[in-house]
């Protein structure tokens, strides 16, 4: 479609899952990609995170889609590592137009049982990560003088409360405040800022033993038959989760001129989850 021809997008958490899908979709639309991922595990996260091989596979798929890519290992908790990656990409491609603050993790515990490490790792990734991403990237978009689009991936947990994951809910709510503030501050430069709010997406964040057990408590080695009906029942549409590419469609739209007058918006892509529970 080439709606993003010759534009440059910076994407965090691009090693796999939604981040990879976003990188490939934007490349298919004509964009070049600056991709980062931590490529390491975190102590409080109950599943493996992306690896350097995963990030290399994202790079391969972006190039297969016709895009160029600068891929770097970087931690969204460390603004300097993000600046190094963004600067390298801008030096290669000469501009920056789009930011997709996508990196995220999941863990759960009852409020009174949550460890300090679990709380702080989540807040540092989910709340401080998008802030750091915008701090590193927005100066380049402003300097370009062409406007741009910042897309922060929140969650239905950024619009509704869920038990046993107060830290996740706090982070996903907080980035809505970040978005609304930046939408106001950067509108004069025609830089649009929005959040996307997915419900369950078919990535490792959902497809892991810890979350399956949370939805099928007391069941040893749960399978889809044990928890799938619970996931389906949460949505208006009769699906347990959405494919990552479905979220990427919304990302591509917000990045493009098709959404050139959309800013300050909270956009659900949730199979009707929020509509069902209103």
């Amino acid at each position: 479609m080439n709606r993003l021809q010759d534009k440059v997008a910076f994407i965090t958490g691009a090693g796999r899952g939604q981040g990879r899908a976003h990188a490939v979709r934007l490349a298919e639309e004509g964009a070049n990609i600056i991709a980062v991922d931590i490529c390491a595990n975190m102590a409080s996260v109950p599943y493996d995170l992306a690896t350097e091989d995963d990030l290399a596979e994202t790079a391969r798929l972006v190039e297969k889609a016709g895009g160029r890519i600068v891929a770097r290992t970087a931690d969204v908790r460390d603004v300097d590592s993000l600046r190094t990656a963004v600067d390298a990409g801008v030096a290669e491609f000469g501009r920056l137009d789009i930011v997709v603050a996508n990196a995220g993790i999941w863990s759960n515990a009852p409020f009174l049982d949550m460890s300090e490490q679990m709380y702080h790792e989540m807040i540092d990734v989910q709340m401080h990560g998008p802030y750091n991403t915008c701090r590193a990237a927005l100066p380049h978009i402003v300097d370009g003088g062409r406007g741009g689009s910042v897309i922060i991936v929140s969650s239905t947990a950024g619009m509704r409360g869920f038990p046993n994951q107060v830290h996740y809910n706090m982070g996903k709510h907080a980035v809505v405040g970040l978005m609304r503030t930046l939408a106001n501050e950067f509108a004069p430069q025609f830089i649009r800022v929005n959040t996307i709010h997915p419900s369950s997406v078919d990535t490792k964040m959902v497809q892991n033993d810890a979350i399956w057990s949370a939805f099928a408590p007391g069941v040893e080695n749960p399978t889809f038959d044990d928890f799938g009906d619970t996931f389906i029942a949460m949505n208006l549409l009769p699906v347990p989760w959405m494919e990552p590419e479905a979220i990427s469609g919304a990302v591509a739209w917000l990045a493009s001129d098709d959404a050139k007058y959309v800013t300050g918006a909270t956009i659900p892509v949730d199979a009707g989850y929020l509509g069902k529970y209103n």
Side-chain angles (χ1 to χ4, degrees):
M1 294 178 65
N2 295 326
R3 290 184 297 179
L4 305 175
Q5 190 64 43
D6 299 325
K7 292 189 176 182
V8 177
F10 174 47
I11 304 172
T12 66
R16 67 177 187 211
Q18 283 193 55
R20 174 184 289 171
H22 303 337
V24 172
R25 176 59 185 272
L26 298 190
E28 290 172 345
E29 297 271 5
N32 295 315
I33 308 297
I34 307 168
V36 300
D37 204 292
I38 188 174
C39 298
N41 287 336
M42 298 178 65
S44 68
V45 179
Y47 55 91
D48 288 335
L49 299 178
T51 65
E52 291 185 4
D53 287 344
D54 290 326
L55 187 58
E57 175 64 7
T58 296
R60 186 189 72 80
L61 291 170
V62 165
E63 290 171 348
K64 182 180 179 181
R68 298 164 61 201
I69 184 168
V70 171
R72 295 284 188 273
T73 300
D75 187 340
V76 295
R77 298 171 295 177
D78 177 8
V79 69
D80 289 335
S81 74
L82 293 176
R83 285 188 175 118
T84 298
V86 174
D87 291 350
V90 172
E92 176 71 19
F93 300 131
R95 60 189 290 169
L96 184 64
D97 307 276
I98 301 155
V99 177
V100 186
N102 165 80
I105 57 174
W106 179 86
S107 60
N108 74 311
F111 178 65
L112 295 180
D113 297 335
M114 185 172 292
S115 71
E116 292 299 304
Q117 181 178 35
M118 181 181 287
Y119 172 79
H120 285 292
E121 285 190 342
M122 180 66 72
I123 292 300
D124 283 345
V125 172
Q126 305 283 63
M127 184 186 298
H128 300 150
Y131 173 88
N132 290 336
T133 300
C134 292
R135 287 281 291 182
L138 272 166
H140 290 291
I141 300 180
V142 171
D143 288 346
R146 294 175 291 265
S149 177
V150 176
I151 302 149
I152 301 172
V153 180
S154 179
S155 167
T156 50
M159 303 179 80
R160 193 66 46 81
F162 296 92
N164 301 321
Q165 52 180 54
V166 65
H167 56 338
Y168 186 84
N169 297 339
M170 287 172 64
K172 292 301 190 180
H173 275 75
V175 297
V176 175
L178 171 66
M179 174 274 289
R180 287 172 172 156
T181 302
L182 297 183
N184 278 271
E185 285 196 23
F186 290 93
Q189 292 101 319
F190 226 97
I191 298 170
R192 301 177 292 106
V193 190
N194 298 281
T195 49
I196 289 179
H197 297 260
S199 53
S200 298
V201 182
D202 188 10
T203 69
K204 191 66 173 179
M205 187 181 286
V206 166
Q207 302 293 7
N208 66 79
D209 291 340
I211 201 165
W212 295 347
S213 296
F215 279 85
V219 178
E220 186 176 356
N221 301 319
T223 67
F224 182 81
D225 290 337
D226 298 306
F227 64 82
D229 287 346
T230 302
F231 271 88
I232 292 171
M234 292 191 299
N235 300 324
L236 279 173
L237 300 177
V239 296
W241 41 64
M242 302 168 293
E243 61 276 10
E245 291 77 12
I247 315 305
S248 300
V251 170
W253 175 69
L254 283 173
S256 77
D257 284 345
D258 287 347
K260 66 181 178 180
Y261 298 128
V262 179
T263 194
T266 55
I267 298 175
V269 185
D270 64 353
Y273 172 85
L274 292 169
K276 183 168 186 175
Y277 285 90
N278 278 337

